[in-house]
Amino acid sequence: MQLHPQYYYQQLPPPERAAYHGMLTCLRELAPSTRIPRLSMETLGTIFFQLRLDHPEIFYAVGFSCRAVPEAEVVDFCPEYRFDKKRIREHSQAIEARAARLLRPLRSLPPAEQERAIHDFIVENVRYDKLEKPYSHEVIGPLTNGVGVCEGMAKTVKLLCDGLGLPCMIAVSDRANGDRYLHAWNIVQLGGQCYHLDATFDNSLSKHGVLRYDYFNLDDTKIFRDHRKLLYPAPACTDGGQFYYKLQHLSWTKPEEVARRVDQALRKKQPGLVFHWRGGYLTKEVLRELLDLIEKAGKERQKTALIKLNWPQAVLRVRYTDEPIQPVVTMEEANEGEETPEGTASL
């Protein structure tokens, strides 16, 4: 089944669809109010939130109020706009122009390459910044200011995918105890199968010019190793065949394969190597074996191994240095972009 651009609208019963449609028309016209079916404020709040997940181009609506209509089954929906009409139109034109420039060279590419290009745009050009509040949660942040939080990045991915006709939705995680914020990422459909794409987590890992794809086309089993359960139901992602490292032949199942590829990278004087371990659970014992092989390959060429490990996703980044220092492994924590202390342990 095709993933619908208005995924959340498709899940609603008729009265809620009518409210959604009324809100959407009002927001597109920048109208001060409209009448929609009388529903609970909690229900209307959910519809308003989901509508903006389906339509990231509506970046300018920040809230709403309702006025009761006496003895009627409708209420007046009164949106709150972030900017005045003139500024909304100016920002909309800037966003449309930027999106058009980004998408023009992608239209002739296969869907999988389109998805990768959108991912790379977020990773290379957007800086995580939750201080730019008027912008960071919406597409205006990443597309015109180069800043965003997970919601803004996920909305930007969807806007660009929608512009290419690439089926995409925004997934939202539930709050854990004590958490103030939800986390958002995308589900993209390729060849009839759905995959998780978390550009924000890859953004947080991609430092010093190395693009990471640890969260590029994961199935449900892998994404929920370090993502909370979903706030709203989403399509099942059951296929692992489009995982980036697997397609690039960087997902290995045998220690001897790791040793061979690391040695090959050293001989070719490559600056570093990122790979995924697919040979069963990455236990401490297995990790110890891999680290010993990596360290040994470096010692044979008088180099020291520096390793970053994304343990939940079993991804290792290996870099060698000529500096005479103690080999170390750094535990990476993919996150929503905040600076977090990295744990370091001796090899």
Side-chain angles (χ1 to χ4, degrees):
M1 182 179 296
Q2 185 82 350
L3 186 61
H4 198 279
Q6 294 189 127
Y7 173 80
Y8 288 106
Y9 174 80
Q10 295 292 310
Q11 314 309 309
L12 298 176
E16 294 179 22
R17 286 191 177 192
Y20 180 112
H21 180 71
M23 288 181 185
L24 180 59
T25 301
C26 178
L27 294 169
R28 281 176 167 168
E29 295 176 354
L30 303 180
S33 66
T34 193
R35 290 193 168 177
I36 61 174
R38 184 191 295 268
L39 299 167
S40 72
M41 285 299 291
E42 181 180 0
T43 299
L44 291 177
T46 298
I47 294 171
F48 181 74
F49 181 67
Q50 293 180 335
L51 180 154
R52 291 178 299 125
L53 296 178
D54 281 345
H55 293 275
E57 74 276 10
I58 299 178
F59 60 89
Y60 44 81
V62 295
F64 71 94
S65 60
C66 287
R67 293 193 301 262
V69 179
E71 300 180 0
E73 292 301 313
V74 295
V75 296
D76 285 332
F77 168 76
C78 307
E80 176 188 353
Y81 296 111
R82 176 171 280 122
F83 312 106
D84 60 35
K85 287 186 179 182
K86 181 175 182 294
R87 286 194 67 198
I88 289 173
R89 293 191 177 103
E90 289 173 349
H91 284 310
S92 294
Q93 289 172 359
I95 289 168
E96 290 171 8
R98 183 72 194 283
R101 289 195 299 272
L102 291 170
L103 297 179
R104 194 174 297 119
L106 307 185
R107 296 193 181 281
S108 61
L109 300 178
E113 294 183 28
Q114 292 175 336
E115 180 197 16
R116 180 177 172 183
I118 292 171
H119 166 277
D120 290 356
F121 166 76
I122 297 292
V123 170
E124 293 181 304
N125 297 281
V126 182
R127 172 176 55 87
Y128 187 96
D129 191 342
K130 62 184 177 182
L131 299 178
E132 297 281 350
K133 290 185 178 180
Y135 303 97
S136 59
H137 289 267
E138 306 295 340
V139 295
I140 187 174
L143 287 176
T144 67
N145 291 271
V147 298
V149 294
C150 62
E151 184 180 1
M153 294 186 200
K155 286 179 175 179
T156 301
V157 169
K158 176 162 170 58
L159 181 80
L160 296 175
C161 284
D162 286 351
L164 293 170
L166 185 61
C168 177
M169 66 163 291
I170 298 174
V172 180
S173 70
D174 203 351
R175 289 184 177 88
N177 293 335
D179 285 349
R180 291 180 57 195
Y181 302 107
L182 307 175
H183 179 58
W185 66 95
N186 298 93
I187 293 177
V188 178
Q189 189 173 48
L190 299 170
Q193 295 285 342
C194 290
Y195 304 93
H196 294 277
L197 169 65
D198 193 333
T200 305
F201 270 35
D202 278 344
N203 182 288
S204 75
L205 294 173
S206 298
K207 301 172 183 176
H208 310 298
V210 178
L211 270 64
R212 294 285 287 271
Y213 299 88
D214 299 25
Y215 298 87
F216 191 91
N217 290 347
L218 300 185
D219 59 24
D220 287 337
T221 301
K222 291 185 175 63
I223 196 72
F224 292 115
R225 288 175 180 171
D226 53 11
H227 284 57
R228 299 187 296 273
K229 67 179 182 179
L230 292 173
L231 180 61
Y232 308 119
C237 301
T238 58
D239 178 55
Q242 294 298 311
F243 180 44
Y244 175 84
Y245 294 123
K246 185 175 181 180
L247 290 179
Q248 298 298 318
H249 306 292
L250 293 170
S251 180
W252 305 327
T253 60
K254 299 178 181 179
E256 52 267 32
E257 188 173 13
V258 174
R260 179 176 62 82
R261 295 295 292 270
V262 167
D263 183 71
Q264 184 181 72
L266 281 165
R267 283 190 285 105
K268 292 183 177 180
K269 298 183 179 181
Q270 295 176 356
L273 179 68
V274 179
F275 71 92
H276 170 251
W277 174 253
R278 193 162 44 91
Y281 289 110
L282 185 60
T283 63
K284 290 183 178 180
E285 291 74 19
V286 172
L287 177 61
R288 178 72 263 170
E289 182 180 4
L290 298 182
L291 297 181
D292 286 344
L293 291 171
I294 293 167
E295 182 184 1
K296 179 182 177 183
K299 282 184 176 180
E300 290 175 354
R301 291 172 172 78
Q302 292 76 51
K303 294 184 179 292
T304 303
L306 302 176
I307 301 164
K308 292 183 178 291
L309 169 64
N310 177 359
W311 202 323
Q313 298 302 331
V315 176
L316 292 86
R317 179 191 170 196
V318 181
R319 183 172 67 87
Y320 288 99
T321 178
D322 293 323
E323 298 178 33
I325 59 177
Q326 178 71 18
V328 294
V329 57
T330 301
M331 306 299 292
E332 289 187 301
E333 183 181 351
N335 52 56
E336 297 188 24
E338 297 94 335
E339 290 293 329
T340 55
E342 295 178 321
T344 307
S346 171
L347 285 173

